[in-house]
Amino acid sequence: MQLLPDSPGFVRSAALNAEAQNTSTIEAAEVAPAIKTNVARKYTRIIQPGQQAQPLTPGDKLILGIRSQTRPMSPVSWLVSAGLSHLRDGRPHYGTDSGAFGERLGAAALKQSTQSVLVLGVFAGAFHEDPRYYRQGRSHSFMKRAVYAASRVLITRTDSGQPSINWAQICGMAGSAAITNLYEPERDTGFTPTARSFGDSFVTGAASNELREFVADAIAMIRRKR
């Protein structure tokens, strides 16, 4: 079965095929130059086009989930989420004073951290899924990349490279939404608010994948113009 570019099996197979071809060339020419492989760092969240992904154990996935919330950009995400909620006086409904913003910031950090650990670590390990995002890159059309990025919320690959429903993402977002009932105001707890939070997670998850797919291109374009 043909594997798609988001499959760790695809990049491993491509690397092995390239190595085999290089070996044949070496044997024919009776020379032995060093063969370099583009291997992604073990705990990187995004695999770039052409990179070889390293296999992850359940323990590695848990570390990935924790480390993803210790990156310098994570607090920025918390601030943006809390700020938008504060400006709209939306969920969680803590009010609009300075103390309320601090509570929203703590809630945003707790929810995003919980979701990261559950999705990337706990459930990715339980369902044997690869939690990393594999960029398609500019070799594909814009529309194909956009659809692909959004679909990764529901579709993923197993550790062996087979396509699968993204159970880790779905269960992790559901678990994170349910846990908010323990620390958000009573107005925001119960079935309906939790279901709404769960649905919102799909939107933010798809938007995050779009950023992972296209932000590198945007940065490169800005640098070229400079």
Side-chain angles (χ1 to χ4, degrees), residues 38 51 62-63 85-86 112 143 150 163 178-179 188 192-193 197:
N38 186 15
Q51 281 189 326
L62 189 59
I63 293 173
S85 175
H86 195 70
Q112 292 183 30
M143 185 57 65
I179 291 173
D188 299 313
T192 299
S197 176

Side-chain angles (χ1 to χ4, degrees), residues 103-202:
E103 290 178 302
R104 283 192 171 93
L105 181 60
L110 186 55
K111 182 179 180 181
Q112 292 183 30
S113 298
T114 301
Q115 183 169 300
S116 177
V117 171
L118 290 177
V119 172
L120 305 180
V122 176
F123 288 112
F127 289 107
H128 305 287
E129 294 174 353
D130 190 331
R132 295 166 292 191
Y133 181 82
Y134 290 77
R135 289 187 66 234
Q136 285 197 329
R138 287 179 290 180
S139 60
H140 299 269
S141 68
F142 175 84
M143 185 57 65
K144 182 176 181 180
R145 294 171 68 187
V147 172
Y148 163 84
S151 71
R152 296 304 95 183
V153 178
L154 295 173
I155 303 171
T156 189
R157 292 269 162 169
T158 64
D159 291 331
S160 61
Q162 302 304 311
S164 171
I165 295 175
N166 197 340
W167 293 114
Q169 185 86 22
I170 295 170
C171 293
M173 292 190 304
S176 177
I179 291 173
T180 61
N181 285 274
L182 300 177
Y183 57 83
E184 289 192 350
E186 184 176 357
R187 175 181 175 181
D188 299 313
T189 60
F191 177 79
T192 299
T194 301
R196 186 178 299 114
S197 176
F198 176 54
D200 291 343
S201 295
F202 282 96

Side-chain angles (χ1 to χ4, degrees), residues 24-147:
S24 299
T25 303
I26 290 169
E27 291 174 350
E30 295 183 351
V31 293
I35 301 173
K36 297 180 180 180
T37 56
N38 186 15
V39 181
R41 289 179 296 176
K42 190 167 190 177
Y43 296 113
T44 189
R45 179 72 176 84
I46 303 172
I47 306 299
Q48 302 298 331
Q51 281 189 326
Q52 180 182 358
Q54 299 186 50
L56 296 178
T57 66
D60 293 331
K61 294 173 185 178
L62 189 59
I63 293 173
L64 177 64
I66 295 172
R67 289 183 58 160
S68 69
Q69 291 302 301
T70 61
R71 298 171 303 167
M73 288 302 295
S74 293
V76 176
S77 177
W78 306 338
L79 283 167
V80 170
S81 177
L84 291 174
S85 175
H86 195 70
L87 288 173
R88 298 176 303 176
D89 190 21
R91 178 177 179 169
H93 295 88
Y94 289 116
T96 56
D97 57 15
S98 58
F101 178 77
E103 290 178 302
R104 283 192 171 93
L105 181 60
L110 186 55
K111 182 179 180 181
Q112 292 183 30
S113 298
T114 301
Q115 183 169 300
S116 177
V117 171
L118 290 177
V119 172
L120 305 180
V122 176
F123 288 112
F127 289 107
H128 305 287
E129 294 174 353
D130 190 331
R132 295 166 292 191
Y133 181 82
Y134 290 77
R135 289 187 66 234
Q136 285 197 329
R138 287 179 290 180
S139 60
H140 299 269
S141 68
F142 175 84
M143 185 57 65
K144 182 176 181 180
R145 294 171 68 187
V147 172

